[in-house]
Amino acid sequence: MIDLHKIIASTRDYNFHSHTQFCDGRETMEAMARQAVACDMKHYGFSPHSPIPLPSSCNMSALCVDEYVAEFNRLKSLYDGVINLYLSMEIDFLGDKWGASNPYFDSIPLDYRLSSIHFISSPDGKEVDVDGRPEQFNGKMKTYFDNDIRYVVDTFYERTQQMIAKGGFHILGHFDKIGFNASSFAPGIEEEPWYRRHIDDVIDAVKGTDIIVEINTKAYPAPVGASADVIAAYVPRLFPSPGVIRRLVSAGIPLAVNSDAHYSSRITAGRDEAFAIIDGK
């Protein structure tokens, strides 16, 4: 395993969260590596959505893992001395069913493990992806959750707490991501005391561990290919939100700013803005 703490303390020319052709990314690993070099990155990590034991169009197949590792090794050799490349996965936590501490991941030569929540269990036990766009999320709210947003948010953060307690990973990915869709469904929800308590509980759970919290800049720019109307109305978003970032800084929790890039043009998107908040500007 690499020393992520040492890297993030010594430079800001890194990105440890990106997606390529092996999951739901839009470009090849080589295209992303080439752009990372063009952006003067010193450290760049590939983190496809991990294989999971249920159907998902966003996650890589276990059958592709060997090909992914082989392509990584080719690129690592090709760019030796130019940029430090790292092999990782964004590992979904599915409660007792799956997670970064599963022995399966010991069989893959990962340099670090990033862990995130994308799925939660519905009341009838079905794993539902709540990470899509608001229009998709709103449909799932009706179909799987009887429009009970409190259940969805509570379950998301309960699973986050379980993930932290279970461990086995190094970077906690976009831990308040549910706030984006929840706020679309119920505007103002993130300012409600019960929601803010969830944030406080996550911060308390991370304090005193070696876990690095990710500041995810994926949603800072408008979506690629968005219409002029969407772009005009778009409100930039960081995960966690700026107020939470400031609370994390005050708590002394190590932070890594990652762009969660699915396109090579997004490798550095939003990073300056995130670092400005960390710096108190």
Side-chain angles (χ1 to χ4, degrees):
M1 296 291 179
I2 63 172
D3 190 340
L4 290 168
H5 288 268
K6 183 177 180 179
I7 292 172
I8 65 173
S10 64
T11 183
R12 290 182 169 181
D13 296 325
Y14 64 79
N15 186 54
F16 293 115
H17 190 164
S18 66
H19 299 281
T20 65
Q21 78 271 28
F22 284 99
C23 56
D24 61 346
R26 304 306 186 192
E27 298 183 47
T28 65
M29 290 174 68
E30 184 159 10
M32 301 296 269
R34 189 183 311 119
Q35 183 63 18
V37 171
C39 293
D40 294 323
M41 288 282 173
K42 294 183 175 66
H43 305 272
Y44 192 81
F46 298 102
S47 56
H49 293 287
S50 71
I52 53 176
L54 53 92
S56 170
S57 60
C58 292
N59 292 72
M60 74 184 301
S61 166
L63 299 176
C64 295
V65 171
D66 287 347
E67 182 184 354
Y68 164 56
V69 174
E71 176 63 0
F72 170 79
N73 287 332
R74 184 184 75 84
L75 292 172
K76 185 176 177 68
S77 176
L78 180 65
Y79 285 95
D80 183 41
V82 179
I83 188 172
N84 297 299
L85 298 178
Y86 305 105
L87 184 78
S88 182
M89 287 183 179
E90 182 178 15
I91 302 171
D92 276 289
F93 183 76
L94 304 174
D96 292 335
K97 305 181 191 78
W98 196 251
S101 62
N102 190 292
Y104 169 76
F105 295 103
D106 294 335
S107 67
I108 306 169
L110 301 176
D111 291 310
Y112 63 93
R113 301 177 189 184
L114 192 157
S115 192
S116 305
I117 304 293
H118 299 97
F119 296 82
I120 66 169
S121 293
S122 66
D124 64 0
K126 179 179 177 61
E127 292 294 337
V128 181
D129 184 352
V130 294
D131 193 61
R133 293 186 176 181
E135 58 270 22
Q136 299 168 324
F137 178 81
N138 292 347
K140 292 174 182 178
M141 283 295 302
K142 180 179 180 180
T143 301
Y144 299 107
F145 303 109
D146 195 28
N147 288 328
D148 187 349
I149 191 63
R150 181 69 182 261
Y151 170 88
V152 170
V153 172
D154 285 347
T155 303
F156 180 93
Y157 282 110
E158 287 166 7
R159 181 161 280 189
T160 300
Q161 291 282 0
Q162 294 167 5
M163 179 175 70
I164 293 169
K166 197 79 169 179
F169 63 95
H170 306 90
I171 301 176
L172 172 60
H174 50 60
F175 83 74
D176 71 342
K177 187 80 180 288
I178 193 63
F180 178 74
N181 281 332
S183 292
S184 173
F185 186 85
I189 193 171
E190 290 179 90
E191 297 307 314
E192 295 185 17
W194 65 270
Y195 187 101
R196 291 174 63 85
R197 280 195 296 273
H198 278 306
I199 299 295
D200 291 338
D201 289 343
V202 172
I203 293 173
D204 287 343
V206 171
K207 279 193 297 189
T209 73
D210 287 332
I211 294 172
I212 295 169
V213 172
E214 171 185 85
I215 309 303
N216 187 299
T217 66
K218 175 186 176 182
Y220 196 84
V224 172
S227 66
D229 290 344
V230 169
I231 293 173
Y234 189 77
V235 178
R237 173 78 195 229
L238 296 171
F239 303 103
S241 58
V244 178
I245 294 173
R246 296 183 184 102
R247 289 156 70 189
L248 289 162
V249 171
S250 296
I253 293 172
L255 306 175
V257 177
N258 293 325
S259 65
D260 193 357
H262 288 59
Y263 297 84
S264 62
S265 62
R266 298 297 189 102
I267 286 175
T268 60
R271 287 170 50 82
D272 288 344
E273 291 81 1
F275 280 121
I277 296 169
I278 291 172
D279 292 339
K281 297 178 181 178

